[in-house]
Amino acid sequence: MFASYKKFIEHGDLVIAYMSRDSMVPLMMDQNETYNNKFGSFKHKDIIGKEYGSKVVSHTGKGFMYILHPTPELWTLVLPHRTAILYQADISYITTLLDIKPGSKVIESGTGSGSFSHSLIRTVAPTGHVYTFEYHQERTTVAAQEFKDHGISDLVTIECRDVCKTGFGLKDLAHAVFLDLPAPWEAVPFAKETFKQNRVGKICCFSPCIEQVQRTCMALSENGFGGT
């Protein structure tokens, strides 16, 4: 659903119920379920079969909502937060700087709540692949299930792994690497091994503190990375 678009809502689809700019929720369509909010009751069976973008009225007739097709942008606004996440302003900037496009093979660590992962997956589709790593087992399990539920599991490989200690287990593969870790400098030597050896690759490390940035820059320099 996130890598391609469809016209009509089906049983089992994830949809975004839009009440207002500040009020949206994800719903998994089940013909036996009903969604209740302050505007009334909305039976899923009455939504299934409608076109995405449709306005649906509650059973009381006193309220309504719009049913939107899921996108990485909307998912970022409604996803369950398991960690702090990246938002679209940063996501679009990082994706551009890393020169990610359809067919790219991208490594990400850590997965976290999967906000950036969804955008990466759509960008590399239909022939690319995302390899994402998360050191926390429960977050790994939940993210893997979300990828499956969202119909994008064939475009992503997720693994529970502490890449700062054991590396990525991948070599001569990646076009781009993104590190969102507490100590990204520890993963830099391992990241170097993952890049395709016959072309220039790009790496981005996302850190909130200047001390982290300084240590990462030193590690990048020591491992032969150039540029800015």
Side-chain angles (χ1 to χ4, degrees), residues 18-225:
Y18 178 97
M19 281 68 72
S20 70
R21 183 175 180 179
D22 300 316
S23 181
M24 292 180 280
V25 296
L27 298 175
M28 192 68 74
M29 289 290 97
D30 184 330
Q31 58 189 4
N32 298 314
E33 296 292 330
T34 299
Y35 172 59
N36 299 294
N37 63 19
K38 64 181 180 181
F39 300 112
S41 297
F42 300 85
K43 293 184 178 181
H44 289 203
K45 67 179 182 180
D46 295 335
I47 299 173
I48 294 171
K50 292 184 178 295
E51 290 189 33
Y52 279 99
S54 295
K55 177 181 178 179
V56 294
V57 180
S58 69
H59 272 240
T60 62
K62 297 181 179 180
F64 63 88
M65 62 184 185
Y66 292 94
I67 305 300
L68 306 181
H69 196 292
T71 65
E73 291 81 5
L74 289 174
W75 181 245
T76 292
L77 298 176
V78 301
L79 60 79
H81 283 228
R82 301 181 287 275
T83 60
I85 69 169
L86 291 178
Y87 289 94
Q88 284 306 315
D90 291 320
I91 289 173
S92 58
Y93 184 61
I94 294 168
T95 302
T96 300
L97 289 182
L98 289 177
D99 194 27
I100 300 170
K101 51 185 176 292
S104 294
K105 291 182 173 60
V106 183
I107 291 175
E108 173 197 31
S109 186
T111 311
S113 300
S115 173
F116 192 33
S117 306
H118 280 73
S119 287
L120 286 175
I121 291 165
R122 182 186 59 182
T123 303
V124 304
T127 56
H129 202 83
V130 174
Y131 300 84
T132 185
F133 298 86
E134 170 61 50
Y135 78 92
H136 191 278
Q137 181 61 64
E138 184 177 352
R139 289 200 290 262
T140 303
T141 302
V142 174
Q145 186 62 50
E146 285 178 348
F147 295 148
K148 182 178 180 180
D149 292 341
H150 298 170
I152 51 178
S153 57
D154 59 328
L155 293 167
V156 59
T157 299
I158 183 169
E159 183 178 346
C160 182
R161 190 183 186 103
D162 186 347
V163 299
C164 292
K165 294 181 179 178
T166 61
F168 299 87
L170 300 170
K171 292 185 178 182
D172 193 20
L173 173 76
H175 297 100
V177 174
F178 175 72
L179 303 178
D180 185 3
L181 303 168
W185 55 88
E186 295 179 354
V188 167
F190 298 116
K192 182 179 180 179
E193 300 175 349
T194 69
F195 282 102
K196 292 187 72 67
Q197 300 302 298
N198 62 348
R199 57 163 289 163
V200 175
K202 295 187 177 182
I203 184 170
C204 174
C205 304
F206 189 85
S207 298
C209 301
I210 188 60
E211 292 82 6
Q212 292 171 299
V213 174
Q214 289 172 331
R215 293 193 64 175
T216 302
C217 287
M218 290 178 61
L220 290 169
S221 179
E222 291 168 357
N223 284 274
F225 287 92

